[in-house]
Amino acid sequence: METLIAVLVGILFAVGTYLILTRQMLRVILGISLLGHAVNLLILATGGLKKGRPPLLSENRAAFADALPQALILTAIVINFAVTAFLLVLSYRTYQKYGTDSLDDLRGNDDE
């Protein structure tokens, strides 16, 4: 299962990097979001995909699932959603003001 997750993380990183290198603002934002999801899957795979009971303290200390990677991923998902929403609103306002979402057109004058 870890191998499948590692391949999926590699594919998400490749697609996210490709989208970041394009010249459209919306594609760059989607690429950043995909990279965030790839990092979340990487943290999950690094934490170990093991089955077990909840990490409750008791006398019976059998195998338990570590809750720290899930907590980190949950926090990262919320932050990724907030950053993506902010960038989408910023992109929309830029499109309203300048009438384009091409990064080449938004770069400025040739004299700069």
Side-chain angles (χ1 to χ4, degrees):
M1 187 68 171
E2 285 87 2
T3 307
L4 179 66
I5 296 293
V7 169
L8 183 63
V9 166
I11 291 170
L12 285 176
F13 268 111
V15 171
T17 304
Y18 174 76
L19 288 174
I20 285 177
L21 294 175
T22 59
R23 302 288 185 195
Q24 301 292 324
M25 198 178 315
L26 185 61
R27 289 183 182 180
V28 171
I29 294 170
L30 291 176
I32 291 171
S33 180
L34 274 179
L35 283 178
H37 291 304
V39 169
N40 291 342
L41 284 176
L42 184 65
I43 292 172
L44 183 67
T46 305
L49 302 173
K50 49 189 161 188
K51 296 179 182 176
R53 295 187 302 181
L56 300 174
L57 298 175
S58 66
E59 295 296 325
N60 187 5
R61 297 186 184 226
F64 63 89
D66 189 14
L68 185 62
Q70 285 87 5
L72 288 173
I73 290 170
L74 187 61
T75 304
I77 288 171
V78 171
I79 292 171
N80 189 10
F81 177 72
V83 168
T84 303
F86 173 72
L87 289 175
L88 285 173
V89 168
L90 190 65
S91 172
Y92 179 69
R93 294 288 295 158
T94 303
Y95 181 76
Q96 279 184 335
K97 184 171 183 176
Y98 295 108
T100 184
D101 68 340
S102 175
L103 294 176
D104 288 334
D105 296 339
L106 292 171
R107 191 161 304 276
N109 297 334
D110 293 334
D111 299 333
E112 294 178 358

